[in-house]
Amino acid sequence: MIIENSLPVLLSRLDFAWITTMHILWTPMTIGMSWLLFALEIAWLKTGDERWYKLNRFFEKIFIINFGAGVATGVTMEMAFGILYGPFSQAVGPFFGNILGFETITAFMYEAGFIGLMVFGWGKVSKGMHAFATFNVGLSSTLSAMWILVANSWMQSPNGVVLKNGLFQVTNWWNAILNENFTWGFPHMWVATVELALFVFAAVSSWFILKNRNADLFTKLLKPTLLALLIVTPIQIYIGDSVGKDVADTQPTSLAAMEGHYHTYLPDGSPNTSWNLIAIPNAQNDGNVFAIGIPHVLSLLETHTWNGVVKGLDQFPAKDRPDVWVPFYAFRVMVAIGFFLFFVALWGNWLRLRGQFNAQALRKHPWFLRSVVFSGFLPYLAIWCGWWTREIGRQPWVVYNLMRTYQGVSHMSVGQEIFWFAGYIVFELVVWSGAWYFFSRVIAKGVDDIAPSDTLFHHTEEDESHAGGGHARPSFAKPVLERNR
């Protein structure tokens, strides 16, 4: 028999937290960067500017490494479901089995075919067909994220099912798939992938400008990237606020933990409207030892009223309350990063408006460039913090209000748990180290070794009038001039 707060349950949670934390390093980048690669390719086809082609081929190398690491860690995570959470996997089979099957058929297999064409199709298919393949990599990776968010969002707001004979049997597929948490959870995650990829583009570009390596080329990329971020960053802040209001409605214990909000009412009977900037929860998880609160802000954020009532943890049994430490501080780190990234986007576009956006002028603003390089790592931390808030805020439920975490873990000894935990730690660190080794090699080489596009493609006279045309020659063949030219 598994006890709710036993060491095996804790080890299962820590092990799976490690696995998902390492996996989510890679998948958002794959999704966001696939769309940016498509944008670079379209810019090249429309303008004929070779610089867009070189930038595309350079970042494609980073994409390939990232994709490989994501596949490796994703397979590991699939294994971990059965190993660490066998009873849960069996219980959710009627729903998860179909959802993950849809993901495999409509997204993963779809992506696998087109990613081969995208990576190995240069010079073997037409420019238009190659762009079509890149577009489908972006679309399929987005579909993959959608199905995964459907599954995880259902765990947060499990609609359209009944728990019968130990199995979650689906009564309404529409309600189960389009559950309340998915409505804002998926857009929040998808925009995060685009924001991440944009900041990685910006960070790499700023690094090259600082080092004065191909500075003009990467300045050309930095301009539209920062302009796009000026649009994306406030959109993400707005969506994040909408997610918070949704969590307040569907998962009030999680919202209360995120805000360190223990007491619904003050001693005088009035609503507790304070938003805690800093809080130190007590050991009993029934109040704060110390807190710095700002009156009325919590009500304004969650109810959009001055004295609106926001449920505190005191409205729920102690056994149903999540731990507060991680959701409270992870949520604040995520929000702080979101606003800082918006500030960086404003800073860059302000420099652009002042005419300071050429390579020589930018190097006179080294702190801006360093800030952008630093910002390349912040979206990763924000995604981590968001995921930790989401998963730990749901506790002690693995399926909110229907299955507790201890009911879903596999019946393993402490020794077995430690064995799997150690194995997963080693594997994930090997993947992480290998990926960063190859990332560093790609960045060290830069764009100088990328062959011109005309070594792969040539145009007929009729195709000169429009972008995307032309015939492909095998990349191993030397370009040949036709005699009639």
Side-chain angles (χ1 to χ4, degrees):
M1 178 180 178
I2 296 291
I3 302 173
E4 182 152 16
N5 295 314
S6 62
L7 184 57
V9 174
L10 176 61
L11 288 172
S12 290
R13 288 181 59 190
L14 289 174
D15 197 353
F16 205 78
W18 168 259
I19 293 166
T20 53
T21 295
M22 295 303 290
H23 177 58
I24 210 170
L25 272 174
W26 315 110
T27 47
M29 185 65 164
T30 297
I31 299 163
M33 187 176 277
S34 60
W35 288 111
L36 299 193
L37 290 177
F38 175 65
L40 288 176
E41 194 160 354
I42 291 299
W44 169 52
L45 294 180
K46 290 294 184 183
T47 65
D49 192 330
E50 188 75 2
R51 291 174 294 181
W52 294 125
Y53 168 79
K54 284 202 166 190
L55 288 165
N56 190 350
R57 296 302 301 270
F58 170 74
F59 281 103
E60 186 184 69
K61 297 176 184 178
I62 295 176
F63 173 87
I64 294 166
I65 298 166
N66 191 90
F67 179 81
V71 171
T73 55
V75 171
T76 307
M77 189 169 69
E78 295 286 346
M79 292 172 53
F81 268 115
I83 294 170
L84 301 174
Y85 285 86
F88 164 77
S89 300
Q90 184 176 10
V92 300
F95 179 68
F96 266 40
N98 286 281
I99 296 302
L100 297 181
F102 295 155
E103 191 265 343
T104 300
I105 295 171
T106 66
F108 191 73
M109 294 174 66
Y110 172 25
E111 182 180 27
F114 279 104
I115 202 169
L117 192 59
M118 185 186 87
V119 174
F120 301 109
W122 290 103
K124 299 177 179 64
V125 296
S126 70
K127 296 177 180 179
M129 178 56 70
H130 191 277
F132 179 71
T134 306
F135 169 80
N136 279 280
V137 170
L139 180 59
S140 58
S141 62
T142 298
L143 287 172
S144 179
M146 183 198 75
W147 289 118
I148 296 302
L149 262 294
V150 164
N152 184 266
S153 296
W154 175 84
M155 292 166 64
Q156 314 290 338
S157 52
N159 298 340
V161 300
V162 293
L163 183 57
K164 187 176 180 180
N165 299 324
L167 297 174
F168 288 98
Q169 299 180 11
V170 181
T171 58
N172 188 314
W173 279 101
W174 184 265
N175 289 341
I177 292 173
L178 299 179
N179 57 80
E180 292 104 323
N181 190 274
F182 175 78
T183 304
W184 286 107
F186 172 62
H188 189 46
M189 190 68 210
W190 187 83
V191 174
T193 69
V194 176
E195 186 176 25
L196 166 65
L198 284 168
F199 266 107
V200 168
F201 270 35
V204 172
S205 299
S206 297
W207 186 86
F208 274 97
I209 296 168
L210 272 171
K211 299 296 181 182
N212 200 20
R213 291 180 55 199
N214 303 112
D216 291 333
L217 174 65
F218 283 97
T219 301
K220 183 176 179 63
L221 176 63
L222 188 58
K223 288 180 181 179
T225 300
L226 286 170
L227 183 60
L229 283 168
L230 189 61
I231 300 169
V232 170
T233 49
I235 288 175
Q236 181 69 323
I237 292 170
Y238 169 77
I239 295 175
D241 178 66
S242 300
V243 170
K245 292 196 287 287
D246 177 75
V247 171
D249 294 334
T250 62
Q251 210 175 90
T253 53
S254 179
L255 187 279
M258 288 160 54
E259 301 296 0
H261 184 56
Y262 283 97
H263 303 295
T264 309
Y265 298 96
L266 298 172
D268 63 3
S270 62
N272 181 7
T273 63
S274 290
W275 179 79
N276 293 319
L277 179 64
I278 297 174
I280 301 176
N282 63 27
Q284 294 75 33
N285 199 26
D286 60 4
N288 292 314
V289 176
F290 172 80
I292 298 176
I294 306 174
H296 302 291
V297 172
L298 181 61
S299 291
L300 288 171
L301 288 173
E302 303 304 334
T303 70
H304 292 177
T305 62
W306 190 248
N307 286 308
V309 176
V310 179
K311 283 186 178 181
L313 289 172
D314 60 358
Q315 299 294 302
F316 306 94
K319 64 184 181 65
D320 293 341
R321 300 174 189 171
D323 294 327
V324 171
W325 277 99
V326 174
F328 181 83
Y329 283 104
F331 175 68
R332 274 147 184 75
V333 170
M334 177 182 65
V335 171
I337 289 173
F339 279 99
F340 178 79
L341 296 179
F342 179 43
F343 165 75
V344 171
L346 284 173
W347 190 0
N349 283 279
W350 177 70
L351 290 175
R352 184 177 184 178
L353 289 174
R354 292 182 60 209
Q356 299 292 304
F357 229 89
N358 58 73
Q360 185 176 1
L362 282 174
R363 282 197 296 277
K364 295 178 181 178
H365 299 278
W367 282 108
F368 166 71
L369 294 173
R370 292 184 189 118
S371 297
V372 177
V373 172
F374 176 67
S375 297
F377 297 95
L378 291 181
Y380 287 103
L381 180 57
I383 289 172
W384 268 354
C385 287
W387 198 255
W388 296 337
T389 300
R390 183 179 179 88
E391 294 301 291
I392 297 174
R394 191 184 62 244
Q395 297 301 318
W397 307 95
V398 66
V399 180
Y400 191 66
N401 276 340
L402 291 178
M403 175 180 275
R404 298 178 82 86
T405 301
Y406 81 95
Q407 296 172 319
V409 300
S410 298
H411 295 192
M412 288 193 288
S413 67
V414 172
Q416 290 171 319
E417 292 277 6
I418 292 174
F419 169 79
W420 285 110
F421 200 177
Y424 283 130
I425 288 174
V426 171
F427 176 79
E428 301 286 357
L429 288 178
V430 167
V431 173
W432 182 85
S433 302
W436 277 100
Y437 169 75
F438 287 111
F439 284 150
S440 63
R441 292 194 63 182
V442 168
I443 292 174
K445 285 185 177 181
V447 299
D448 294 330
D449 65 336
I450 297 174
S453 62
D454 58 12
T455 63
L456 299 176
F457 299 98
H458 78 287
H459 288 287
T460 61
E461 290 180 1
E462 306 89 68
D463 293 326
E464 294 293 338
S465 61
H466 61 84
H471 300 286
R473 290 186 185 274
S475 59
F476 49 80
K478 295 181 179 178
V480 178
L481 294 176
E482 303 291 345
R483 289 187 177 180
N484 59 2
R485 290 190 172 187

